Structures are given as C-alpha cells and as structure tokens.
Amino acid sequence: MTDLTAGGVNAPAIRRVEFDTEEAKARLRRRYRSEFRFKVYGFAALAVTTTFLLLLLSSIVSKGIPGFFQNVIVTDVLVDAGKIDPEGNGDAATLRAGDYTAIARAALAEAIPGIEGRQLKKELNGLLSSGAGDALREQVLADPSLVGQRVKTQLLLADEADVFLKDSSTTIRTIADTRGIATPTGTTGDVTIFVGANDFADDIAEVKAELKAKAAAIMEAIERRKARGAGPESLKDLEREAADLRIRYEAAATSETLDSKTPSRLVAINGGIVKVKEMTPTLVKGEVIIPLKSTADAAPGTWQIRVYEKPESNRNLNDRGLTFLEALKAKGLVENRFNWAFFTTGDSREAELAGIQGALVGSILTLLVTIGLCLPIGVLAAIYLEEFAPKNRMTELIEININNLAAVPSIVFGLLGLAVFLNFFNLPRSAPLVGGLVLALLVLPTIIIASRAALKSVPPSIREAALGVGASHQQAVFHHVLPLAMPGIMTGTIIGMAHALGETAPLLMIGMIAFIVDVPTSLTQAATVLPVQIFLWSDLPEPAFKMKTAAAIMVLLAVLFVMNGLAIWLRKKFERRW
Amino acid sequence: MASWYALVAVGLFIAGYILAGSRARAVAGGDYAGMHSLPTYHGLYTASLAFLPALFIFICGSFIAGQLATYSAISALPENIQSDVLRQGAALREAINIVRGGSPAAASAEVQSAAESYGSVLSAGQWATLALGMLAGFGGLSWGLSRVSMNFRARNNFEKLVHGLLWICATIAVLTTVGIVFSVVGETYRFFFDPDIKGKPTVFEFLFGTDWNPQAAMRADQGDIQTAYGFLPLLTGTLLITTIAIVVAGPLGLFSAIYLAEYASPRMRAIAKPILEILAGIPTVVLGFFAALTVAPYIRGWGEAFGLEVASESALAAGVVMGMMIIPFISSLSDDVINAVPQSLRDGAYAMGATKSETIRQVILPAALPGIVSAFMLAISRAIGETMIVVMAAGLAANLTFNPLDAVTTITVQIKTILVGDQEFDSAKTLAAFALGFVLFFVTLVLNFIALKVVQRYREQYD
C-alpha cells in the first residue's frame, strides 16, 4: 500500500512558526540589522579603497605640480664682450665657451648693489644655478650681435632658492610699528643698533617662551624614554640640553643671544638689513647682510623688525640667502615660469637642471623593442594554441607554462636577463635592447592570453564559411579570423605595453639604473627609463628632487591613463556582438 | 655588423619573393587556374628558403664567433690572470668594453692585447658568418627558383614553414621557463657546491641561519665583520610584510567584490570598476614613492602620538601600501568567482526566506570558496614577489622580528641591493642573490600550483 495517508500517525509534528509574536519581530529586526550592517561593510570597503586612491593621487599631484614650474630672475644683463669673446672673433665655438655664469653673477650684483666680503658674495651667487647662464648662451648663440649690449634674459635660480619660493612653510612676520628712534653704528660688517624705546622687549619674551616650550618638549621625551626603560647614559645629552635651555629662559630679561635653532630676527633700516645676533630690550648687535645707505637716525615706524618664523637650521636656505632672495622678490625680478626644460633635458646632479627627456626616450626605445618582439610572437603563439595545436602533452605543457609565467615575480625576469642576456650572450649592460627583451618575455603571457581570448570570441561560422569556399586552414585564420580578432588583440597589447612601461624591478637587475645625462640615440647605448628615473630621483635627499619625482610620476601616470583610455576606446569602438 | 647582415637577409627575402613570383607568373602564362599554387605563394616560399638559412647561420655564427673571440682573449691574457676566475672575468669584461668603444686609456697592456685579439677574432668571425650566410641564402634562393612549376605545391610547403614558425613562437614561453630555471638553479647550485667560490654557506646554514650580512664579503680587509648568509630574517621580514598586506587587502578586496557583485547598481559598478582598474594600473614604483614619502611619516607621527617607537622604514608602511596594490587583484578575481555562482542557488536561498546577506554568507561564499582561496594564494604570491614598494619603503637591515613597527628587509630587497651596481659574477655575494631568486621562484610556483589545485579539486560543478 502506498503512503497516501501522509498526515497519518507517523508523520513528524509540524513546527509552527508564529510571525506576529514579539520574539519573532525582534528576530526579524535583528536579521534586517545584520543585513544592513553587511551591506555597509561592503560599501565601506569600496569607500576605503577609493579613499586610498584619492589620497595617493592627491599626494602625488600636490607634490608634483610645483615640479613643473621654475623660478627665474628676469632682468636686463650686460653681455660683457670681455667675458665671452675677449678677442672679438665672434665665431660660434668661442661664443659657446664663454663665461656666462660670470655675466649672470654681475647682473645679480647689479640688482643688489654693495655686497662685499667673500662669504656674503658667495651666498648671493649661491642663489643662482650652475646653469644660470644657459638661457643667455642660447640667446647669444642665436643672435651674436647681442654681444656688448644689454639683453633681457632669465637667470635660473638654484634649487634651494626655488624650493623656498614654492614652499610656503617659512612665514615672514614684519613688525612695522616700532616705537623708538634707531641709530645704527655702521653700514657694513658687524653693527650695533641703539633704539630709543624698548622695542625688543616683546621679542625677548617670545624667544624665552620658545626656549621654555622646547625644554618642556625635551623633558617629556626623556620621561617617555625612561618609562620605556632607557638607561640614564643614553639620556645624558638630552638632559644637558634641557638644562642649558632652562638656564637661558630663567635668566633675567636683559640680553638674549639668537642661534640657528630659534626663529631668526632681522632689522630693516636705512635701506639695509641687519641680522640680529644678540639683543637687549633697547639695542641689538648683529651682522649687516644688505648694506645700509647711511648711519643716520631712523624715525619710529621707518624701520622694521622681520621674523623668519622657521629656524635657520630647519631650512635649506640660510638667513643670508633668504634675505637676498626676498630683496630680489621685492624688486619684482623673480618670476615663476612653466619649466619646459623639464621635458627637453636629460638627468642632472643639479635638481633645477634635471629633466626627463633621456628617460622618456629610453622608455620609448625599450618599448619599441618590446612591442616589436612580443606582438608578433604573442599573436603567432596564440594562433598556434587556439587554432592549430594538437591536443597532446606538449600543448598542455605550453599552456601550463604560459599561465605560470604570468605569475612569476618580475624581479625573476630581471635575474634571467642578467644571467642569460648579459652574462651568457654578452649583450651590453644598461641598453634598451636588453631591457626590451626582458620586458618582452615579461608581458608575453599577457599578450598570448589576451590574443587567445580575442581569437576565441570570433564565431566558428566565420572560419567554417572560409573553409567552405575552399580556403586552406591557414588562409581561413590569417585572412578572416585574425582581422576580426585584431581589435581585441590590440587592446590586450596596449594593456601589456602599459604594464611594461610601468615596470621597474627587472630593469634595475640589468643595470638600467646608471646615471645617464645624454639622451640615448641607439638601442645599444646606456639608457634609463621613466620608472627607473623616478626611483633614482626619489632616493635623492634634495627637496627639489622630490618635486621632480612627483612631476615625473604625473607624466608617467598621464601616459598610462592615455594608453588605458585608448585600449578602452578601441574595445568600445570595435566591440562586436556576434 | 648586425645591421649589414639584416640588410642582406631582407634583401634576399625581397629578391626571392619578386624573382620567384615573376617566374611563376611566366610559367603560368595567364593560366592561374591550372597552377597548383598562386604566384604569391611561390614567391613567399622561395623568399623563406633564402631568408631562413641566412637567419640560422647568423644566429649560430654570431654565437660561435663570440665564443671563439672570448677564448682567444682569455688565451692572450697572462697565466696569473687566467688562473684566477675573478680576475679573468674582470679582465674579459674590460676587454669587451674596449672593443665596444669604451675607455681604452685606462686599461693595462695585458687587457689591451686581450682586447685586440678579441676584436680581431670577432670581426673575422663576423665576416665569415656574413659570407656563409650570403652563400646559404643564395643557395636557398636558387633552389627555390628551380622548383617553381605548374604542379609544385608551393602553398602547402609554405604553410608547413608557417606552421613551424607558429610552433616556435608558442614554445618561447617554455624556453623562458627553461631560461629562468637554467639561470636561477645553475647559479644556486654554484652558490652552494662550487669549490671555487669562497665564503659560501652550507645549505643548512643558509636555510636556518639567523644572520644576513652579505655586504661584508666585499671588504676582505675588515676581518672582524662576519659574512653571513642566514636566510631566516629575510623570510620573516617577507612574511611580516605579506601578512600585513593580506590583512589590509583581504577584507577590503573581498567585501568590495561582494558589494560590487551582489549589491551595487549598474551605475555604481560603472563607477567603482574603473576606480579599481586605475588602482591596479598604478606602477609599483609610484606606490613605493607614496609609501616612503607619505604613508611612512604619517604612521610614524601617529605612533609617536601614542608614545610608540616607530622605525622610519617600518614594515607597516610598506605592508599597508602593498595591501593597496593587491586590493584590485583580490577584488577582481573574487568578483569573477562570485558572479560565476549560478543564479539558481541564490533564487533557492531567497525562496527559503533568507536575506541577501544570509544568502551570501551561507550559500554564495561557500560555493565560491575555492575560487576565493585561489585568489588569495595568487595575491600572496604577488605580494612576496613585489619589489619596488619594499625597496623604497622597507629597510635594508635584516632584523629577525615580528613587530610591524620595526624595519625589516625582504628577499626581493636583498636581491636588488646585491645585484644593483657593479658585481663580480663569481663571488658568493652575487650568487646569493640568485639563491634568493630561486627561493622566490620556487615559492611563487608552489603557491600558484596550490591555487590551481584548490580550484580543480574543490570546485563544485553546478551544470
């Protein structure tokens, strides 16, 4: 007898679920809450990832934008024939070899007259780049008749001065409402300025407050270290420093010596500037940086106290250089210009002269080798595997190999290049040829996989139709399937090239890390590429190089975005649904 | 030289194509339908017959000429340099540089003479190669021309050649693997067992030593610094940074994938997918710069606010940024496997009254688990092999520690540090880098293999 009477005695008791009890409602609320939480987690993960990306991009862009600009002094200079062409023969070789730096320095001395003493002159000339005269040289070479005349030109500033102008972290405070009559004792060298009122009392109080804060910070650091169990020996220096500071700030407010660890104070009086070394409420002793016009009494309000808030020891540009630079700026001679030279010069030890042209050309040469090798090889390999390969162990081995190679770390390809191309085949080090070979092997799996996918997406009917009208298998593939797969193959190739363009590690292994000033012109010349240039610059301590690094990164990212955009556009334009 | 050869080879190719093509046209006399192959195929076949032997001879010839030249340069060197492997290698490199147009002034007389004999043998070999290549090329050309006839199966013969070319291209991937294994395993074997290499460790010392200090090998005069090749601190450093990276990227990548696959509207997907793709496309050197200049100081400042001592090149900074790098990797792979779970499973769960999150947790994730595990394996293998982020943001000091706030070093950092700059190819130090490369290659290979096996073994077949 079949079990028709299912509701009989043996049937399990049905568990009744009540939906409108409080308990059930609470359970439902709990489930909905957990549902909501889960959804929020997912959204938060995406949001965090997006934030990461935005932080990365904004940090690069904010550092990199100043790297595209360059501060120059724009002024009239006298192209002194005695300095560039003393014999007056006027040929290009003589003009090229002329001492344009001397002319640039003369122009600077003209802009801030009266600077004497070796040290001060050195600081003033130090504002100029070692390539300050290059723009003038180009002008003179283009038009030799300029020799002996006054020419408007631009003089490149050294990187410290340039970075100072770009970086707003040093604020300059000016105290203009001075109350006493100030009397300087001299116009150059070390001078004392007597003041009729206690104008410097506030400054002394400020300095002492700073010293106190600093001592407190040191004491706190000592306590923290003690808490972590640091021995008394290691704390000795810190304790001594704190004690010295305490003596200074606890002393009566009569006299204070300024050092490079506190904000610098300067007095601008009678057209000159004096750097304060020691001050009491009514007098300052100091060193003249820009000579005074006279020792006449200065009425209250006609002289000023200037405070450079960032201590000298925390800046790359010292007080003298800063003062000269501010004077040049006040005369309106400093201009911030777009730095075209960044794209037209090679690497340099001087940050303000360094450019990316060498690296860009190196990248192009390397990528030419890469695409020249891996596009044909990749496409032909894909055709073989997709269309002609028999199903056997060899084919299987090749397929496993390709998938594995795609996951091998890129640095291992560098080791391969070093051992095989450099040491076995004796190819030249640092050359775009070897770099291109290594990158070709690196991106080959990507291109093969993309090309296979593209070939697979062409419907079999195309192939069958070609075979049906009598084409050979190869004719069907090369004349009909391959052209239809081409957009997909190109998309994959561009993405592979973008990958190759950003790759750094394997190129370090084959020596593309050398410092190379010249723009490479052949495949076997030593060269570097853009990512390696970025790596090299990021290692340098100068802040100006940090800006250049970020600027070079922006160029690299821009190129990559364009390449990826092109790939997406190609995919959209030629995408075909069969 | 190579460009001359290329010119000759291309000339042979073009000549073969034109001559054989026109000859075939003459033979056919307008009766193309009666001919087995089109004239184009006759041209292509003869062109290949002329080009391929020339190419083959070029490859063999330049290799043999290079070897002979090296041999003659070595025999031109004095006895005492020949017997010392290191000095011989250095002198040889110098001589080759001179021949390539380097700095001849700085070299010694012995090296100069070696360079001369190298140069003369090399150029003689190259000329001989060119002559032989041209001979073979013309031989192939004339043979091809002689075969042009109405019934000659030029297309089939040419297609056989093309088929061979396709096969060669496909096996280049295998050759690459062979090349990697050859270079990495060979040098690693020498590192451990070559009796000529001084100061090398035993396999046991390498695998279980706790000191890593290869730099001391450079300065033999500084006797008190012990050279050590203990691999453990590098392993722990690599694992520490990888762990941090996975801790960051695992949840973020997986939850992003779940959100994108299950919750996001098409518009949301259209925005979020490109963001992940952009992140995936950012070169690692850029991420390294970001890690070293922005993240590391930030973490340091943060740690100090809590009274923690943070190294300026902390493992945490490198690990977090490396996590950023692998988020798109994990999320795109997981997204694919989640999308591959059949809709019927979801519908079944909804029909039982499950909420969306319950469906995901109890139905979709278990079904997609093999794929997700394999995605994590691949992500780990990528993190272990990543170089630039750690080179720029992690330290050089080999500390044996698990504190994420300390500086650690990794396998890839040490490979880069040892091999960048001038290196003697026969010193223990350089070979140590290859031993590290072998470890790296092996570990990533094993991880990829496990990833593959996990998917194969545990994948549920739903169709």
Side-chain angles (χ1 to χ4, degrees):
Chain A
M1 190 175 148
T2 50
D3 193 15
L4 279 174
T5 51
V9 232
N10 291 338
I14 294 168
R15 195 171 136 240
R16 291 204 165 275
V17 179
E18 295 294 337
F19 289 109
D20 34 5
T21 61
E22 271 312 303
E23 193 194 345
K25 279 179 184 158
R27 195 164 56 229
L28 196 61
R29 274 199 299 276
R30 206 166 56 237
R31 286 176 64 204
Y32 282 159
R33 267 204 305 279
S34 106
E35 165 74 23
F36 178 73
R37 264 204 309 277
F38 195 78
K39 194 172 169 182
V40 166
Y41 291 154
F43 188 77
L46 263 184
V48 169
T49 308
T50 312
T51 317
F52 267 150
L53 183 67
L54 290 180
L55 269 180
L56 169 72
L57 293 181
S58 63
S59 134
I60 300 281
V61 169
S62 67
K63 282 197 184 76
I65 295 260
F68 287 110
F69 292 88
Q70 181 91 61
N71 282 292
V72 292
I73 300 174
V74 180
T75 181
D76 283 341
V77 302
L78 177 67
V79 186
D80 188 350
K83 279 174 183 139
I84 52 169
D85 190 11
E87 283 146 35
N89 47 14
D91 62 294
T94 318
L95 290 180
R96 187 174 291 281
D99 187 0
Y100 293 90
T101 311
I103 294 177
R105 288 181 174 173
L108 201 59
E110 209 175 299
I112 304 181
I115 305 299
E116 266 159 41
R118 240 171 61 89
Q119 196 60 37
L120 278 176
K121 272 189 179 161
K122 202 177 141 202
E123 303 279 3
L124 180 58
N125 291 334
L127 289 181
L128 288 178
S129 158
S130 59
D134 289 355
L136 184 61
R137 175 179 289 131
E138 294 307 316
Q139 273 173 289
V140 171
L141 282 174
D143 180 8
S145 70
L146 294 176
V147 176
Q149 297 185 353
R150 288 193 79 84
V151 183
K152 192 178 172 72
T153 188
Q154 45 179 346
L155 311 173
L156 202 56
L157 283 172
D159 59 335
E160 293 90 359
D162 186 44
V163 168
F164 174 80
L165 289 170
K166 287 170 180 169
D167 171 21
S168 53
S169 68
T170 304
T171 47
I172 298 174
R173 183 156 52 95
T174 304
I175 303 165
D177 55 338
T178 45
R179 297 181 296 266
I181 297 171
T183 316
T185 59
T187 56
T188 56
D190 287 336
V191 297
T192 307
I193 302 172
F194 297 98
V195 183
N198 53 352
D199 273 306
F200 297 106
D202 295 349
D203 289 276
I204 290 178
E206 239 173 68
V207 172
K208 288 199 189 286
E210 268 157 29
L211 293 175
K212 194 170 179 178
K214 203 179 279 173
I218 293 175
M219 290 311 290
E220 199 186 316
I222 291 175
E223 288 306 318
R224 254 210 322 265
R225 287 205 179 182
K226 266 186 190 160
R228 234 176 293 124
E233 276 303 307
S234 62
L235 300 175
K236 237 179 194 167
D237 286 345
L238 281 178
E239 274 170 353
R240 193 177 308 126
E241 201 183 333
D244 287 349
L245 288 171
R246 190 177 310 130
I247 292 169
R248 278 173 66 187
Y249 73 72
E250 281 174 355
T254 50
S255 161
E256 189 55 58
T257 315
L258 296 180
D259 58 19
S260 63
K261 286 178 187 159
T262 48
S264 305
R265 289 178 150 72
L266 296 97
V267 175
I269 180 169
N270 291 349
I273 293 179
V274 179
K275 181 188 170 187
V276 177
K277 286 183 166 166
E278 206 182 320
M279 58 187 181
T280 71
T282 56
L283 74 82
V284 293
K285 285 180 187 164
E287 171 207 13
V288 173
I289 294 180
I290 295 179
L292 281 56
K293 292 215 174 68
S294 69
T295 54
D297 292 348
T302 61
W303 61 282
Q304 302 165 342
I305 304 169
R306 288 189 190 156
V307 185
Y308 299 165
E309 298 281 7
K310 200 174 191 180
E312 193 177 16
S313 60
N314 296 356
R315 278 185 258 131
N316 283 318
L317 192 64
N318 63 19
D319 284 344
R320 290 168 178 166
L322 203 168
T323 309
F324 290 138
L325 193 58
E326 285 297 315
L328 287 171
K329 215 166 108 181
K331 289 191 171 186
L333 297 178
V334 178
E335 262 183 45
N336 196 12
R337 296 193 164 179
F338 191 81
N339 184 12
W340 289 108
F342 184 63
F343 297 98
T344 57
T345 55
D347 197 5
S348 168
R349 294 276 183 226
E350 307 291 330
E352 71 274 8
L353 297 175
I356 56 168
Q357 198 199 4
L360 273 179
V361 172
S363 273
I364 291 170
L365 289 176
T366 308
L367 283 193
L368 280 180
V369 174
T370 306
I371 197 165
L373 282 172
C374 71
L375 182 60
I377 293 179
V379 172
L380 293 181
I383 290 176
Y384 179 77
L385 292 174
E386 204 54 46
E387 300 281 347
F388 296 104
K391 286 245 171 293
N392 60 16
R393 289 195 75 86
M394 184 64 196
T395 309
E396 206 181 317
L397 180 74
I398 293 173
E399 288 187 358
I400 291 175
N401 246 304
I402 289 168
N403 289 333
N404 258 327
L405 273 186
V408 168
S410 62
I411 195 168
V412 173
F413 284 91
L415 291 176
L416 168 77
L418 178 60
V420 173
F421 297 139
L422 293 193
N423 286 306
F424 191 70
F425 287 116
N426 271 323
L427 292 173
R429 268 178 86 81
S430 315
L433 175 67
V434 182
L437 276 169
V438 171
L439 291 182
L441 294 183
L442 183 66
V443 294
L444 194 57
T446 317
I447 293 188
I448 293 179
I449 291 167
S451 303
R452 285 189 71 173
L455 287 168
K456 200 178 268 172
S457 72
V458 177
S461 56
I462 304 276
R463 198 175 294 112
E464 283 153 12
L467 293 175
V469 294
S472 74
H473 193 175
Q474 281 193 15
Q475 283 169 335
V477 171
F478 282 100
H479 297 177
H480 301 281
V481 179
L482 187 60
L484 290 172
M486 226 40 203
I489 293 174
M490 288 326 288
T491 309
T493 307
I494 292 172
I495 288 171
M497 286 300 115
H499 179 185
L501 177 60
E503 197 55 72
T504 320
L507 300 180
L508 300 184
M509 299 291 103
I510 55 157
M512 289 191 93
I513 192 171
F515 171 72
I516 288 145
V517 177
D518 299 322
V519 176
T521 50
S522 85
L523 290 179
T524 49
Q525 237 177 345
T528 189
V529 295
L530 201 46
V532 177
Q533 185 74 77
I534 289 169
F535 171 63
L536 282 172
W537 280 352
S538 75
D539 243 12
L540 297 171
E542 289 94 339
F545 269 120
K546 297 277 182 274
M547 291 179 184
K548 293 255 165 167
T549 312
I553 287 176
M554 284 171 68
V555 173
L556 177 64
L557 289 182
V559 175
L560 290 179
F561 284 157
V562 168
M563 286 174 84
N564 283 308
L566 191 68
I568 292 170
W569 179 79
L570 265 178
R571 192 162 56 201
K572 286 249 162 69
K573 178 146 168 77
F574 293 104
E575 192 174 50
R576 215 192 276 198
R577 298 246 168 243
W578 300 96
Chain B
M1 192 64 217
S3 50
W4 275 111
Y5 204 100
L7 209 66
V8 167
V10 171
L12 280 170
F13 187 89
I14 294 172
Y17 183 76
I18 293 174
L19 289 176
S22 55
R23 182 162 183 162
R25 254 168 244 121
V27 166
D31 178 25
Y32 293 131
M35 206 174 191
H36 176 273
S37 302
L38 289 171
T40 317
Y41 279 103
H42 285 282
L44 283 171
Y45 179 63
T46 308
S48 319
L49 280 188
F51 180 77
L52 291 177
L55 182 72
F56 179 73
I57 285 179
F58 174 71
I59 292 169
C60 294
S62 33
F63 180 71
I64 292 170
Q67 290 296 315
L68 282 179
T70 310
Y71 182 71
S72 77
I74 290 172
S75 53
L77 287 169
E79 278 292 322
N80 60 338
I81 296 184
Q82 273 191 42
S83 56
D84 187 337
V85 185
L86 284 182
R87 285 179 64 195
Q88 183 194 312
L92 200 60
R93 268 196 294 279
E94 208 177 333
I96 292 172
N97 271 338
I98 291 171
V99 176
R100 289 220 179 103
S103 53
S108 60
E110 298 100 66
V111 174
Q112 286 284 9
S113 74
E116 268 166 36
S117 73
Y118 181 88
S120 60
V121 172
L122 190 67
S123 76
Q126 282 172 339
W127 283 114
T129 308
L130 182 61
L132 264 179
M134 279 173 80
L135 203 67
F138 279 116
L141 181 69
S142 49
W143 190 50
L145 279 179
S146 72
R147 297 183 78 182
V148 175
S149 68
M150 287 300 275
N151 291 328
F152 179 56
R153 300 162 76 84
R155 179 178 60 73
N156 304 46
N157 280 301
F158 177 69
E159 285 187 350
K160 259 183 213 151
L161 289 177
V162 171
H163 194 271
L165 177 69
L166 293 178
W167 185 81
I168 289 172
C169 288
T171 48
I172 281 188
V174 182
L175 285 182
T176 310
T177 309
V178 170
I180 289 175
V181 171
F182 163 76
S183 53
V184 173
V185 175
E187 305 299 330
T188 307
Y189 178 81
R190 288 183 60 203
F191 177 58
F192 289 120
F193 303 112
D194 190 337
D196 284 345
I197 307 296
K198 291 167 193 71
K200 61 183 188 296
T202 61
V203 176
F204 185 82
E205 278 166 6
F206 178 76
L207 287 180
F208 300 103
T210 54
D211 279 322
W212 175 263
N213 188 14
Q215 298 299 339
M218 284 188 77
R219 289 162 266 151
D221 51 316
Q222 295 178 327
D224 51 333
I225 301 175
Q226 277 296 309
T227 308
Y229 293 105
F231 166 70
L232 270 188
L234 308 191
L235 181 70
T236 55
T238 307
L239 288 183
L240 178 61
I241 290 182
T242 305
T243 311
I244 297 169
I246 294 296
V247 165
V248 170
L252 287 177
L254 190 53
F255 271 107
S256 299
I258 290 171
Y259 187 82
L260 282 179
E262 298 292 324
Y263 288 105
S265 61
R267 241 188 88 209
M268 181 81 189
R269 261 180 92 89
I271 298 170
K273 274 260 169 191
I275 288 177
L276 288 169
E277 272 166 26
I278 289 174
L279 192 55
I282 287 180
T284 53
V285 69
V286 177
L287 291 171
F289 180 74
F290 178 63
L293 252 81
T294 310
V295 180
Y298 185 75
I299 287 180
R300 192 149 186 240
W302 221 56
E304 266 164 15
F306 284 99
L308 294 166
E309 190 110 339
V310 183
S312 60
E313 294 179 319
S314 62
L316 192 58
V320 166
V321 174
M322 198 184 273
M324 269 176 75
M325 178 193 82
I326 34 184
I327 289 172
F329 196 70
I330 290 185
S331 80
S332 75
L333 288 177
S334 307
D335 194 12
D336 290 347
V337 289
I338 290 172
N339 276 327
V341 174
Q343 185 62 30
S344 57
L345 265 71
R346 290 185 188 88
D347 295 343
Y350 296 150
M352 303 286 285
T355 63
K356 214 160 189 179
S357 66
E358 285 161 355
T359 309
I360 292 168
R361 269 182 302 203
Q362 290 165 20
V363 177
I364 296 176
L365 285 187
L369 195 62
I372 292 172
V373 169
S374 122
F376 272 68
M377 289 287 176
L378 292 176
I380 291 172
S381 115
R382 180 158 291 205
I384 288 177
E386 170 48 38
T387 311
M388 291 323 290
I389 294 175
V390 279
V391 162
M392 294 167 86
L396 285 175
N399 298 327
L400 189 61
T401 176
F402 285 104
N403 180 358
L405 302 179
D406 270 350
V408 295
T409 191
T410 69
I411 298 174
T412 47
V413 172
Q414 289 304 320
I415 296 178
K416 179 256 161 194
T417 312
I418 291 174
L419 288 184
V420 166
D422 288 328
Q423 77 247 176
E424 302 148 337
F425 210 72
D426 295 294
S427 76
K429 186 172 151 252
T430 308
L431 293 179
F434 281 89
L436 291 180
F438 174 67
V439 172
L440 202 60
F441 181 64
F442 184 72
V443 169
T444 47
L445 207 66
V446 168
L447 281 171
N448 296 336
F449 186 72
I450 294 175
L452 195 72
K453 284 290 151 195
V454 164
V455 173
Q456 280 180 356
R457 176 121 167 60
Y458 296 102
R459 189 179 48 195
E460 310 267 340
Q461 294 288 356
Y462 293 108
D463 298 326

